[in-house]
Amino acid sequence: MSAPQAAAEPSLALGMVGNCAISALVDARACIVWCCMPRFDGDPVFNALLQPGDEGSRFAIVLEDFAASEQWYEPNTAVLRTRLTDLHGNCLEVTDFAPRFYARSRFFRPNMLVRRVRPVRGAPRIRVLLRVLYDWGQTRPTITRGSNHVRYVGSAFALRLNTDAPVTYVLSGQPFTAQREYNFLLGADETLAEGIGDTARHCEQETIAYWKHWAQRLHLPLEWQDAVIRAAITLKMSLFEDTGAIVAAMTTSIPESARSGRNWDYRYCWLRDAFFVVRALNSLSEVGTMEDYLRWLGNVVAKAGEGHIQPLYGIGLEHELPESIVPHMAGYRGMGPVRVGNQATEHFQHDVYGNIVLGAAQAFHDRRLLHPAGSAEFARLEKIGALAVQVYGQPDAGMWELRTRARVHTSSALMSWAACDRLAKIATALGLPERARYWQLHAQQMQDEILERSWSPARQAFAESFGGSELDASVLLMAEVGLIHPADPRFASTLDAMEKTLCDGPYMRRYEAADDFGRPETSFNICTFWRIDALARTGRGRQAREIFEAMLAVRNPLGLLSEDTHAATGEMWGNFPQTYSMVGVINAAMRLSAPWDTVI
């Protein structure tokens, strides 16, 4: 018997499967290295991404004498296929997905991962290595077995593996020859209504059909369609459909750069990030996610009353997400700490009110919606506008969540303006001229002051704060949300100054000032995409396209992006997959693509 193959070093060359209830990350050798249960922000039952080596937990299909692998998504779906080949030419294919399809008048999205293994060529020998851990890797489950299932029982919940593979081999890790198709359904501790193989085949067929029909309805640009479809599916999988929350990423504690300590938990719903997700999917005519998100957002607003609204919440509307460190976990590539929770729930980030209004605005104008917004929703949204007016011009932590410094951030003031501007437009659409005038007056006053007080004569640019002189990429949003016309010389001058100061080739950093951890070492992907948008708006489309192609080139082999890119190596860093970054792919393609009428 040959020796076991060494596990690959953790990387972000991962595929994501999910069904808007749970998700999992699969590496290039068909090993599930990350999966939280029973929801996105739950216990990582598979944690090898953050706990490499024998101490970690994973679900691996190990091909003996492994030689090579290739991996791809079934086109226009969230169904992932990995083909493994050994040194003797034997070949095996692993199909991974989480079931999602419409059945019994609802979306069927169980807490279940399905793995289908079939020999493609020869007689491949495999080992099934399934190790579940609970309580952030501290607790081994009690394992019980049946004729065709294995139960992994913990104190909070139990997982059941239903399989038509030999249970004895699954439990022992003994190698065996894959002479036929084998199916593995890991999920809730429930028996199946039908046979294991029949259930797996039915779920695959229906899940593929669901995603293909979902993608078919997207309004795509002419160019870069595959990149846009992959980004859109990834964003959809980031929706926790039960409540309508949208998570910023599926992981925690992937450092923003090597050994930087910038390790954060992103498995929660930031109102800012969620707005950008909704806006990107809306641009593709996928408005269902917006309607789901507005359910969650409405509950956030109702629960807050007229008080402070946090920049983020748990996906079940949790207010408190106390931040702690998991000391026994090594971290990604041994680069801890591993954090659970996020202290940013305690921050005052004044752009949040504008993000709420922006996220809800289309619902007042779009006639396609099942639940269009009206006067009652506008009344609630006006309370958010009042808060935007109240906090305007006050110091805060800013959108980058600085933990030790407060200023009157231009980006926060900009979003207060956006709240008032959009409320004025909504009031006009609802036939409420007095309210429209009220909000337009506030918007005009804010616009005048922002353009005056954030301008730095010394830098010939809009600065990151009122009266400041340091540059910040978030100021580029001035044109995107409509505060300033892109042709304004001051905006062009700002873009020029940022390119000289914040850019490393095609990539763009967030800001130039040192923060709590020093100066950022990696570029922040969404900032690069903001630059692309600004270039396109200012007539520099050719350069924008070049930078966009550079960003597409640093996606992982499956078309996914994390939060950050190292300018020198092109390596991905930061939590994964980052919704902000996938939003950028959609926005850039929609902005830069040639129109359809050039070819049809």
Side-chain angles (χ1 to χ4, degrees):
M1 184 176 69
S2 61
Q5 297 295 317
E9 179 178 287
S11 79
L12 297 181
L14 304 171
M16 174 180 164
V17 296
N19 62 1
C20 303
I22 60 166
S23 69
L25 300 179
V26 186
D27 74 10
R29 295 191 184 183
C31 179
I32 298 177
V33 296
W34 184 256
C35 176
C36 295
M37 293 278 192
R39 61 188 211 183
F40 299 149
D41 58 353
D43 189 6
V45 296
F46 299 127
N47 64 21
L49 186 64
L50 296 186
Q51 187 65 50
D54 294 337
E55 295 302 312
S57 57
R58 57 182 56 79
F59 188 174
I61 307 295
V62 180
L63 178 65
E64 282 203 331
D65 298 326
F66 170 84
S69 70
E70 57 179 323
Q71 197 171 46
W72 70 95
Y73 281 105
E74 183 70 19
N76 297 0
T77 77
V79 175
L80 183 66
R81 304 200 193 277
T82 310
R83 188 164 288 187
L84 307 173
T85 304
D86 68 18
L87 294 171
H88 316 290
N90 300 303
C91 184
L92 187 81
E93 186 171 289
V94 181
T95 296
D96 284 298
F97 63 95
R100 178 175 174 81
F101 50 90
Y102 201 71
R104 299 179 182 178
S105 301
R106 64 180 174 88
F107 281 114
F108 179 64
R109 41 174 168 75
N111 278 26
M112 178 189 290
L113 298 174
V114 178
R115 314 203 77 186
R116 308 195 66 209
V117 178
R118 70 177 184 91
V120 174
R121 185 173 57 250
R125 287 182 58 78
I126 65 171
R127 292 186 301 134
V128 178
L129 300 181
L130 173 52
R131 188 185 195 210
V132 173
L133 292 176
Y134 294 128
D135 303 322
W136 287 85
Q138 294 187 97
T139 304
R140 295 175 181 268
T142 299
I143 298 176
T144 67
R145 64 167 291 175
S147 58
N148 288 98
H149 74 264
V150 181
R151 298 172 67 242
Y152 301 85
V153 183
S155 59
F157 64 95
L159 291 174
R160 177 190 290 248
L161 175 73
N162 289 291
T163 182
D164 50 13
V167 171
T168 299
Y169 296 157
V170 171
L171 288 172
S172 67
Q174 171 72 28
F176 63 99
T177 301
Q179 296 176 319
R180 61 173 177 83
E181 172 189 285
Y182 294 111
N183 299 282
F184 303 85
L185 292 81
L186 181 69
D189 188 16
E190 302 168 354
T191 58
L192 299 177
E194 305 291 340
I196 293 169
D198 291 341
T199 300
R201 282 186 288 273
H202 174 73
C203 285
E204 180 182 353
Q205 175 184 325
E206 292 298 311
T207 299
I208 287 174
Y210 164 79
W211 285 111
K212 284 185 177 291
H213 283 105
W214 184 86
Q216 182 188 38
R217 295 190 294 269
L218 297 176
H219 167 66
L220 295 176
L222 173 62
E223 300 179 84
W224 306 294
Q225 291 184 41
D226 289 338
V228 170
I229 290 171
R230 183 53 45 207
I233 289 174
T234 305
L235 294 182
K236 184 67 174 181
M237 285 194 287
S238 301
L239 167 71
F240 184 64
E241 196 168 49
D242 187 50
T243 64
I246 300 169
V247 294
M250 289 298 169
T251 60
T252 177
S253 304
I254 308 297
E256 294 179 14
S257 57
R259 291 172 289 277
S260 64
R262 300 172 186 264
N263 300 17
W264 314 113
D265 191 350
Y266 276 12
R267 301 170 303 145
Y268 311 112
C269 185
W270 273 258
L271 276 65
R272 178 189 311 112
D273 300 50
F275 152 64
F276 281 102
V277 170
V278 165
R279 190 180 190 195
L281 289 177
N282 286 352
S283 74
L284 303 177
S285 294
E286 202 288 292
V287 295
T289 300
M290 175 177 66
E291 293 205 81
D292 282 321
Y293 172 64
L294 292 180
R295 285 192 290 113
W296 184 85
L297 189 60
N299 283 312
V300 168
V301 172
K303 194 170 184 179
E306 298 183 11
H308 163 65
I309 294 180
Q310 299 170 188
L312 74 152
Y313 293 85
I315 60 178
L317 289 177
E318 293 84 1
H319 278 233
E320 296 182 4
L321 302 171
E323 187 174 298
S324 61
I325 290 175
V326 183
H328 57 273
M329 293 190 74
Y332 179 72
R333 299 188 183 178
M335 299 177 190
V338 173
R339 287 189 172 91
V340 180
N342 201 302
Q343 185 243 335
T345 54
E346 303 170 14
H347 289 186
F348 285 80
Q349 296 176 25
H350 295 156
D351 66 327
V352 66
Y353 305 107
N355 288 313
I356 291 173
V357 176
L358 286 168
Q362 185 163 329
F364 292 89
H365 303 281
D366 197 323
R367 299 300 184 189
R368 296 170 295 174
L369 304 187
L370 297 175
H371 306 286
S375 56
E377 290 79 8
F378 178 63
R380 288 195 289 270
L381 211 57
E382 282 199 294
K383 294 180 180 179
I384 301 302
L387 291 169
V389 172
Q390 180 181 318
V391 301
Y392 171 78
Q394 295 182 17
D396 72 342
M399 72 182 303
W400 305 125
E401 303 183 340
L402 302 174
R403 298 187 171 206
T404 59
R405 185 179 73 210
R407 296 178 180 175
V408 181
H409 287 95
T410 303
S411 58
S412 297
L414 170 64
M415 288 301 170
S416 284
W417 168 83
C420 297
D421 177 76
R422 295 331 190 252
L423 284 168
K425 291 178 169 65
I426 293 168
T428 299
L430 294 175
L432 301 171
E434 290 187 7
R435 302 311 298 162
R437 284 192 293 273
Y438 173 84
W439 290 111
Q440 186 54 49
L441 178 62
H442 277 296
Q444 188 61 59
Q445 291 172 341
M446 290 179 185
Q447 182 179 31
D448 293 342
E449 185 174 27
I450 293 169
L451 293 175
E452 178 184 350
R453 296 191 61 192
S454 67
W455 178 255
S456 169
R459 303 297 296 272
Q460 286 295 292
F462 292 110
E464 49 84 40
S465 62
F466 284 10
S469 61
E470 294 166 343
L471 301 183
D472 186 313
S474 64
V475 171
L476 294 177
L477 290 171
M478 281 182 165
E480 186 170 330
V481 300
L483 179 88
I484 191 172
H485 195 282
D488 190 304
R490 293 171 295 179
F491 185 74
S493 177
T494 298
L495 177 57
D496 288 342
M498 287 186 180
E499 289 186 310
K500 294 173 183 175
T501 305
L502 299 180
C503 290
D504 301 304
Y507 311 113
M508 192 172 214
R509 285 169 277 116
R510 285 176 285 183
Y511 40 76
E512 62 178 332
D515 60 20
D516 314 333
F517 292 81
R519 292 183 182 275
E521 298 175 29
T522 52
S523 66
F524 202 72
N525 290 331
I526 190 59
C527 298
T528 303
F529 286 115
W530 290 342
R531 179 191 180 193
I532 291 169
D533 183 83
L535 288 168
R537 290 176 186 269
T538 53
R540 297 163 64 184
R542 179 178 296 179
Q543 185 181 4
R545 290 176 70 94
E546 291 173 356
I547 296 172
F548 183 37
E549 292 290 353
M551 288 303 298
L552 292 177
V554 295
R555 294 174 302 158
N556 78 8
L558 291 166
L560 307 183
L561 280 168
S562 66
E563 183 181 44
D564 307 272
T565 300
H566 193 285
T569 66
E571 186 175 7
M572 295 194 300
W573 291 92
N575 282 307
F576 175 92
Q578 179 79 2
T579 54
Y580 241 164
S581 300
M582 305 312 293
V583 161
V585 171
I586 294 173
N587 289 348
M590 295 296 283
R591 173 68 56 188
L592 297 173
S593 174
W596 278 93
D597 62 11
T598 60
V599 297
I600 58 176

